Amino acid sequence: MSRYRRARVPGATYFFTVNLLNRRSDLLVRHIDLLRDTVRATLMRHPFRIDAWVVLPDHMHCVWTLPAGDADFALRWKVIKFGFAKRLPKTEVLTATQHARGERGIWQRRYWEHLIQDERDYRHHVDYVHLNPRKHGLVDRVADWPYSSFHRAVRAGVYTGDWCGDDGTGGCVVGC
């Protein structure tokens, strides 16, 4: 069995991709209020800063900054994934392995994480998060996707409301 090693730097900023096991599901947006409540509860017990977040039907991307001296993003993901899953009705079919491990069969076991290296890398990943609904063809304009921190970033003056709009203009860094 391979031993996957993650970069753990206290107080660092990370990009994450977390997927549902069933990539054809709309579970995350169908239960968006439950997901939001679960993230809020996790923030109360295990603080971190949400720099960017987008929730799509079957996966989510986010950029987090952990508190100084803290590198335990794995605990936060465990709490979020478990807290969300335990409050959903049990409708999924489990494999024998999932059943033996006490899993719900909702999430992919692993997730992708990337340690942000510098300001350019940060900007690229935050833009990627916000552009993702358009990339997947869910909307024509980034501003039209409701499950994104893009709207907060517009209010803060980070983006204009038409960033990566219909014609692909508006200062998009990652290529609309």
Side-chain angles (χ1 to χ4, degrees):
M1 178 176 188
S2 64
R3 294 175 50 95
Y4 180 76
R5 297 183 2 147
R6 296 191 181 275
R8 298 185 192 274
V9 178
T13 301
Y14 296 88
F15 166 81
F16 299 98
T17 299
V18 178
N19 297 311
L20 292 177
L21 188 58
N22 178 358
R23 294 301 305 268
R24 286 174 270 149
S25 175
D26 69 347
L27 189 71
L28 294 176
V29 295
R30 194 166 13 108
H31 294 283
I32 191 69
D33 291 332
L34 173 58
L35 180 61
R36 287 175 172 155
D37 290 346
T38 304
V39 170
R40 277 189 212 102
T42 304
L43 280 164
M44 297 292 288
R45 292 180 17 224
H46 309 285
F48 60 94
R49 185 180 75 220
I50 298 171
D51 298 277
W53 200 312
V54 68
V55 177
L56 292 97
D58 64 342
H59 71 285
M60 53 189 163
H61 299 288
C62 52
V63 176
W64 295 354
T65 300
L66 298 179
D70 188 342
D72 201 353
F73 55 79
L75 171 67
R76 289 162 174 87
W77 278 119
K78 181 179 179 181
V79 170
I80 290 168
K81 290 167 89 173
F82 179 80
F84 180 76
K86 83 174 189 178
R87 293 174 57 197
L88 289 173
K90 293 184 180 184
T91 59
E92 70 275 10
V93 177
L94 299 179
T95 66
T97 302
Q98 290 167 329
H99 185 69
R101 291 181 175 181
E103 295 176 356
R104 284 290 311 272
I106 293 172
W107 300 102
Q108 286 186 3
R109 280 198 189 109
R110 296 193 185 267
Y111 52 87
W112 169 260
E113 116 276 337
H114 165 76
L115 175 65
I116 300 295
Q117 301 297 311
D118 54 29
E119 186 60 36
R120 182 171 182 253
D121 193 31
Y122 177 85
R123 182 85 260 133
H124 171 79
H125 283 87
V126 169
D127 286 350
Y128 180 84
V129 166
H130 293 136
L131 182 61
N132 217 252
R134 182 176 168 164
K135 175 186 166 209
H136 285 281
L138 298 168
V139 292
D140 290 329
R141 294 174 351 107
V142 173
D144 293 339
W145 188 251
Y147 314 118
S148 172
S149 60
F150 176 75
H151 308 284
R152 181 184 72 184
V154 168
R155 289 190 301 273
V158 175
Y159 298 106
T160 61
D162 64 349
W163 181 78
C164 280
D166 296 293
D167 62 358
T169 62
C172 182
V173 174
V174 293
C176 294

